[in-house]
Amino acid sequence: MASNQSPRGNAVIGQSGGPTAVINQSLVGVVEGLRGKPMVEKILGAHHAVAGIVKNDFIELQDLSQDKLDRVAKTPSAALGSSRDKPDADYCKKIFDAFEKNNVRYFFYIGGNDSSDTCRIVQEQAAANNYELHAFHVPKTIDNDLVLNDHTPGFGSAAKFVAQAFMGDNLDNKALPGIKIDVVMGRHAGFLTAASMLGRKYEDDGPHLVYVPEVPFSIEQFQKDVEATYKRLSRCLIAVSEGIHDEHGTPIAVKLAEKDGNVERDAHGNPQLSGTGALGDYLSKAVKEHLGPKTRVRADTFGYLQRCFAGCVSPTDAAEARAAGRCAAELATSGETSGSIAIQRVSDSPYKVEYKHIKLTDVAAKTQVLDKKYIVNDNNISDEFKKYLGPIVGELPDVESLTN
Amino acid sequence: MASNQSPRGNAVIGQSGGPTAVINQSLVGVVEGLRGKPMVEKILGAHHAVAGIVKNDFIELQDLSQDKLDRVAKTPSAALGSSRDKPDADYCKKIFDAFEKNNVRYFFYIGGNDSSDTCRIVQEQAAANNYELHAFHVPKTIDNDLVLNDHTPGFGSAAKFVAQAFMGDNLDNKALPGIKIDVVMGRHAGFLTAASMLGRKYEDDGPHLVYVPEVPFSIEQFQKDVEATYKRLSRCLIAVSEGIHDEHGTPIAVKLAEKDGNVERDAHGNPQLSGTGALGDYLSKAVKEHLGPKTRVRADTFGYLQRCFAGCVSPTDAAEARAAGRCAAELATSGETSGSIAIQRVSDSPYKVEYKHIKLTDVAAKTQVLDKKYIVNDNNISDEFKKYLGPIVGELPDVESLTN
């Protein structure tokens, strides 16, 4: 991964995949890490990631004021624009053409596991073409599913949103009792859905049931679980991951979309799960069928609000996203030719992390899932998970009960 | 409305209808206004509103510490529990039995227009039964649809949630362009849906289209509007009220539920609109039918998150909800026998309101809607609306663009 010299040239930064509340912190971290480095001339932001690179669509970032950078860093979503393109060899040829034309020697790609794979392909193609390129991936995903990372930038803020949403919804469900189903993002990993439990304070607080993709989903078992909780508490708040799937691994959401002949896939082959209320409505109907049509059942799908809600950011998440970007820039300009940054926890108390340089091939296109030790009865998350999640999310609003 | 003396006895407070982020501020405001008044002995919170009264299910509030009250006030949703029951004459007889048994002479009912009507019925039945009762309604509704009120407690915080959600979603939609439909609460009044525009800063910021119940909805016109914006900006962010209806006044959501044989109604005759993604999915499908199946179209339904999200409160809303509760308590114990509190704006700059004593019959079961002057082209909200809404919501997070 290391070379003894850093070439002179320009840098390109791209933001890829689903945006987060703190992905601009990483962008600004890279810019801050590159500024003042003698070998780096222009810092070019790629408009809409690889899609912008091949169109020579860049935004110059090296002369922005610190104040402007700070304000961009605090803005949710990807300020450069994003893309879900997955470059093949032909696409990469076009990337190199643009890189050569612009004398680009440093490439930073901020994204999740698909994006780290894109970064890997670009870097390997560069090597194959004898094009000297320092290529770094900067981690980002609300799914928290990158291997070798304790957690990933973007997750903490999305988890804060989910936790606060459930705190409010638990109190709403307590005030007007019934069965409430909330569908949370997460294709393969249940971390974000598990975050629904972080704000539980009193013994009867929900979510009372939590379904994650790590456990195959059975609609009959779901109906029985809901019935048991409803009988016990006269209410039931449920967190369900959008990625729940049957015993063959087929997501329930995909089965519903297939019925409508309506399955969309992205360039990475992932079927579309978000942006529809179908899963929530299906589960809601199943509960009514089981407990009777007069049962008060409601379903909400949190959807895209989870990842970019303005004003719901974990300060820890923001600081770590910035530091990860800065770290990648420092490595790339100190002779390292490629890699990714992994956030690893050094201690719980006081909470402390370090930023480790790992290989692109170690992280690319791999998926980390929720540790089984946190999953209780296949339908809940243990309180132990708070020890892991708490410091990543930071302080939650306090709530006080009159009846507990 | 006035009598010269205030009877000696106990007070009952109820929280009714859909909860809000600040309804507990009003509860605490009433408690604070009653404490220390010589004619008031016990302050009883009715567990689940009128449903608790008839079951003699009360929580004593007079001895709670100020610290506990302050923490309850900051907690979203209804700490006493809520109800959607609409008392008829028989139900009221049971309420009087409970009131007599507990020597209740002060009744405070915190809620929206249906709840003010409940308060009116209870008060009229009391008069007919020669039972001396001071009955006050305290306004609360995220719909902002009470007449004679400039705005209502609960609306400002829900509007803040909607505005911040759209700020983030606008940036998300800009990063990964496509068509995005967001369904916002609001049965008859479009105030909350209109709040989607508060965070617009740059010229191309969304929402680009806003559909409120004040304008009859046509799916064909909707398809044309979306197409025009999409051609102009290559993206389109849309705010739609759950209460949009056809030219005959039938909500689109009800027509969809009828197809499923699945229309729920509450005791006030209102059909259920929230808690399902059906409207968003219907609109999404209509856009795809019009613009082609490959068009990136997503729909989110904000659902119950809007009214009780923990940690998204307008400070102005919180303070006004508290003051409205306190005002009702002061009036009831200073000889006034019934009424409601209306928040009226005295000036915009500096922003100033007053709390006016109005008659129950002036507000009960009436609905205020969005002034037509704010509605542009039947599909958007004018920037003038910010002058009205801004002070109610308070400061929003700042966002900064790299491309504008």
Side-chain angles (χ1 to χ4, degrees):
Chain A
M1 297 198 280
S3 80
N4 290 326
Q5 48 186 329
S6 298
R8 191 168 189 84
N10 297 318
V12 160
I13 312 170
Q15 295 176 300
S16 176
T20 77
V22 299
I23 189 173
N24 290 332
Q25 292 281 359
S26 294
L27 168 66
V28 168
V30 175
V31 173
E32 288 173 337
L34 292 177
R35 289 214 293 194
K37 294 289 190 293
M39 67 292 272
V40 177
E41 290 159 355
K42 284 185 186 167
I43 304 172
L44 304 172
H47 200 203
H48 294 293
V50 288
I53 296 174
V54 299
K55 285 188 285 190
N56 254 299
D57 187 1
F58 295 113
I59 303 160
E60 291 196 21
L61 303 173
Q62 69 279 354
D63 298 324
L64 296 178
S65 70
Q66 188 62 44
D67 176 60
K68 171 104 177 176
L69 286 177
D70 285 338
R71 281 183 287 125
V72 168
K74 285 181 188 156
T75 301
S77 189
L80 294 174
S82 187
S83 164
R84 288 201 180 277
D85 286 1
K86 181 177 183 168
D88 57 12
D90 279 353
Y91 204 121
C92 285
K93 178 71 177 62
K94 289 183 194 159
I95 292 177
F96 304 136
D97 290 349
F99 279 2
E100 251 182 329
K101 190 171 166 185
N102 293 284
N103 191 32
V104 174
R105 298 294 168 180
Y106 299 92
F107 176 43
F108 301 90
Y109 215 43
I110 309 166
N113 37 20
D114 288 330
S115 304
S116 63
D117 202 34
T118 298
C119 191
R120 178 190 64 77
I121 297 172
V122 170
Q123 197 268 333
E124 286 173 7
Q125 291 278 335
N129 284 272
N130 281 323
Y131 184 91
E132 191 175 6
L133 181 73
H134 289 203
F136 274 78
H137 166 249
V138 182
K140 170 247 48 163
T141 169
I142 65 163
D143 291 339
N144 200 35
D145 61 354
L146 297 190
V147 296
L148 299 181
N149 283 269
D150 179 75
H151 58 278
T152 53
F155 169 63
S157 299
K160 183 177 165 76
F161 180 91
V162 169
Q164 292 184 189
F166 270 88
M167 288 175 75
D169 215 29
N170 168 59
L171 294 164
D172 193 319
N173 178 253
K174 196 171 174 176
L176 286 172
I179 291 156
K180 179 71 196 298
I181 301 157
D182 287 330
V183 179
V184 179
M185 275 187 169
R187 187 179 297 280
H188 302 294
F191 293 100
L192 197 57
T193 306
S196 60
M197 60 73 77
L198 188 62
R200 286 197 297 228
K201 177 178 174 179
Y202 299 104
E203 212 188 327
D204 65 346
D205 278 350
H208 309 105
L209 297 169
V210 183
Y211 297 92
V212 291
E214 284 77 1
V215 180
F217 184 82
S218 146
I219 192 73
E220 294 78 20
Q221 189 57 49
F222 172 76
Q223 289 170 318
K224 282 180 205 160
D225 292 350
V226 174
E227 184 182 7
T229 304
Y230 192 55
K231 279 192 174 159
R232 184 167 58 88
L233 296 173
S234 302
R235 68 182 186 106
C236 185
L237 178 62
I238 308 156
V240 178
S241 174
E242 64 179 7
I244 52 162
H245 53 77
D246 65 16
E247 70 275 24
H248 309 296
T250 308
I252 311 300
V254 171
K255 291 164 87 171
L256 295 171
E258 273 167 355
K259 275 192 198 166
D260 281 352
N262 195 18
V263 183
E264 259 183 78
R265 285 179 196 274
D266 68 12
H268 302 270
N270 303 312
Q272 176 61 28
L273 299 179
S274 302
T276 158
L279 178 61
D281 289 351
Y282 162 74
L283 296 173
S284 186
K285 208 172 160 188
V287 170
K288 283 203 174 197
E289 276 168 13
H290 190 66
L291 294 179
K294 293 212 167 173
T295 319
R296 182 175 186 266
V297 188
R298 306 284 183 261
D300 279 332
T301 303
F302 289 2
Y304 293 93
L305 297 197
Q306 298 160 87
R307 65 188 193 190
C308 285
F309 192 84
C312 189
V313 171
S314 152
T316 302
D317 189 29
E320 291 178 349
R322 185 91 154 237
R326 211 178 283 142
C327 179
E330 295 291 346
L331 285 168
T333 51
S334 66
E336 301 292 340
T337 57
S338 74
S340 179
I341 311 303
I343 299 182
Q344 297 186 345
R345 192 179 303 216
V346 180
S347 73
D348 275 321
S349 177
Y351 171 74
K352 203 181 158 198
V353 297
E354 62 182 20
Y355 302 86
K356 209 177 152 190
H357 180 191
I358 60 171
K359 288 184 194 170
L360 281 172
T361 47
D362 285 342
V363 64
K366 294 190 173 88
T367 300
Q368 170 161 280
V369 297
L370 191 62
D371 195 318
K372 286 261 151 100
K373 74 178 177 189
Y374 295 126
I375 302 172
V376 181
N377 288 334
D378 286 353
N379 66 15
N380 216 326
I381 300 296
S382 72
D383 281 346
E384 202 194 339
F385 188 64
K386 286 187 182 178
K387 193 179 154 195
Y388 164 77
L389 185 60
I392 304 170
V393 169
E395 212 179 333
L396 292 177
D398 193 23
V399 295
E400 181 70 31
S401 172
L402 281 177
T403 53
N404 286 84
Chain B
M1 297 198 281
S3 80
N4 290 327
Q5 45 185 330
S6 298
R8 191 168 188 87
N10 297 318
V12 160
I13 312 170
Q15 296 175 301
S16 176
T20 77
V22 300
I23 190 172
N24 290 332
Q25 293 280 359
S26 293
L27 168 66
V28 169
V30 175
V31 173
E32 288 173 336
L34 292 177
R35 289 213 295 194
K37 293 290 190 297
M39 68 292 272
V40 177
E41 289 157 356
K42 286 185 186 166
I43 305 172
L44 304 171
H47 200 202
H48 293 293
V50 288
I53 296 173
V54 298
K55 285 189 283 189
N56 255 300
D57 187 2
F58 297 112
I59 302 160
E60 291 196 21
L61 304 173
Q62 69 278 353
D63 299 324
L64 296 176
S65 70
Q66 188 62 44
D67 177 60
K68 171 105 177 174
L69 287 178
D70 285 338
R71 281 182 288 124
V72 167
K74 284 181 187 156
T75 301
S77 188
L80 293 173
S82 187
S83 163
R84 289 202 179 275
D85 286 0
K86 181 177 183 168
D88 57 13
D90 279 353
Y91 203 122
C92 286
K93 179 70 177 63
K94 289 184 195 159
I95 293 177
F96 303 136
D97 289 348
F99 280 3
E100 252 182 329
K101 192 173 165 184
N102 292 284
N103 191 32
V104 174
R105 298 293 169 180
Y106 299 92
F107 175 43
F108 301 90
Y109 214 44
I110 309 166
N113 36 21
D114 287 332
S115 304
S116 63
D117 201 33
T118 298
C119 191
R120 177 191 63 79
I121 297 171
V122 170
Q123 197 267 334
E124 286 174 6
Q125 290 279 336
N129 285 272
N130 281 323
Y131 184 91
E132 192 177 6
L133 181 73
H134 290 201
F136 274 79
H137 166 251
V138 182
K140 170 246 49 163
T141 170
I142 64 162
D143 292 338
N144 200 35
D145 61 354
L146 297 190
V147 296
L148 300 182
N149 282 269
D150 177 75
H151 59 279
T152 53
F155 169 64
S157 298
K160 183 178 165 75
F161 180 92
V162 169
Q164 292 184 190
F166 271 88
M167 287 175 75
D169 215 29
N170 169 59
L171 294 165
D172 193 319
N173 178 253
K174 195 171 173 174
L176 286 172
I179 291 156
K180 180 70 195 301
I181 301 158
D182 288 329
V183 179
V184 180
M185 275 188 170
R187 188 180 297 278
H188 302 295
F191 293 100
L192 198 56
T193 305
S196 60
M197 59 73 76
L198 188 62
R200 287 198 298 227
K201 178 178 173 180
Y202 300 104
E203 211 188 327
D204 66 346
D205 279 350
H208 309 103
L209 296 168
V210 183
Y211 296 92
V212 291
E214 284 77 0
V215 180
F217 184 81
S218 146
I219 192 73
E220 293 78 22
Q221 188 58 48
F222 172 77
Q223 289 170 318
K224 283 180 204 160
D225 293 349
V226 173
E227 184 183 7
T229 304
Y230 192 55
K231 280 192 173 160
R232 184 166 58 88
L233 296 173
S234 301
R235 68 183 186 105
C236 184
L237 178 61
I238 308 156
V240 178
S241 173
E242 64 178 7
I244 52 162
H245 53 78
D246 65 16
E247 70 276 24
H248 308 296
T250 308
I252 312 299
V254 170
K255 291 163 88 170
L256 295 170
E258 272 167 356
K259 274 191 198 166
D260 280 352
N262 195 18
V263 184
E264 259 183 77
R265 284 178 197 275
D266 69 11
H268 302 271
N270 303 313
Q272 176 60 27
L273 299 179
S274 303
T276 158
L279 179 60
D281 290 351
Y282 162 74
L283 296 174
S284 187
K285 208 172 161 187
V287 170
K288 283 203 173 195
E289 278 169 10
H290 190 66
L291 295 179
K294 295 214 165 170
T295 319
R296 183 175 184 266
V297 188
R298 306 284 184 262
D300 280 332
T301 303
F302 290 2
Y304 293 93
L305 298 197
Q306 297 160 87
R307 65 188 193 191
C308 284
F309 193 83
C312 188
V313 171
S314 151
T316 302
D317 189 28
E320 290 178 350
R322 185 91 153 234
R326 209 177 285 141
C327 179
E330 295 291 347
L331 285 169
T333 52
S334 66
E336 301 291 340
T337 57
S338 74
S340 179
I341 311 302
I343 299 182
Q344 298 187 344
R345 192 180 301 216
V346 179
S347 74
D348 274 322
S349 176
Y351 171 74
K352 201 180 160 202
V353 297
E354 63 182 19
Y355 302 87
K356 208 176 154 191
H357 181 193
I358 61 171
K359 288 184 194 170
L360 280 173
T361 47
D362 285 342
V363 66
K366 294 190 172 88
T367 300
Q368 170 162 280
V369 297
L370 191 62
D371 195 319
K372 286 260 151 101
K373 74 179 177 188
Y374 295 126
I375 304 171
V376 182
N377 288 334
D378 285 352
N379 67 15
N380 215 326
I381 299 296
S382 72
D383 281 345
E384 202 195 340
F385 189 63
K386 286 188 183 179
K387 193 178 155 195
Y388 164 76
L389 185 60
I392 303 170
V393 169
E395 213 179 331
L396 292 176
D398 193 22
V399 295
E400 181 71 30
S401 172
L402 282 177
T403 52
N404 286 85

